[in-house]
Amino acid sequence: MTLKDPKGGLTAAGRKKYARETGAKLRPGVKGPANTPTKMRRKGSFLTRMFTNPSGPAQKPNGDPTRLALSAAAWGEPVPKTRRAMLRLAAKGRALLRRYEASKEE
């Protein structure tokens, strides 16, 4: 039973184990377009939180993507290869949050 998805993120079993240990209710990442307010908020929050000040590099010394970079794939985004690509994902997240805020005002 694998808890970490090799393509990024946690498997259903990993989310269940985390919930047992912490009481949190993790949901899988939003794949595809963020076309509803809830999806905009969730995806925007994730991208902004994870990639504004990345906690590590995008690639390992051998060129493979790190777990941090793979987490973008779990949310339907391309796997970033550079710090600049991570910062672009953060900017996309902020744009999604602005769209979410604008949708609330309508």
Side-chain angles (χ1 to χ4, degrees), residues 10-105:
L10 294 175
T11 62
R15 288 189 300 273
K16 194 172 185 179
K17 179 179 187 269
Y18 187 79
R20 274 195 314 272
E21 291 174 354
T22 66
K25 292 178 173 57
L26 291 181
R27 292 167 38 195
V30 174
K31 292 201 180 219
N35 52 7
T36 66
T38 300
K39 288 181 178 181
M40 282 184 245
R41 180 184 51 77
R42 289 187 64 224
K43 192 170 199 172
S45 176
F46 170 78
L47 292 174
T48 303
R49 183 174 63 251
M50 295 303 286
F51 298 111
T52 295
N53 292 311
S55 60
Q59 292 184 326
K60 298 176 187 173
N62 66 2
D64 290 343
T66 60
R67 294 280 309 158
L68 175 63
L70 286 174
S71 68
W75 286 76
E77 295 296 323
V79 177
K81 292 184 176 14
T82 63
R83 182 172 176 80
R84 180 173 281 187
M86 289 178 164
L87 295 176
R88 278 195 300 271
L89 286 174
K92 180 178 182 175
R94 287 188 294 276
L96 284 170
L97 290 174
R98 282 192 299 273
R99 279 182 41 210
Y100 165 71
E101 289 297 326
S103 73
K104 285 192 335 184
E105 293 169 3

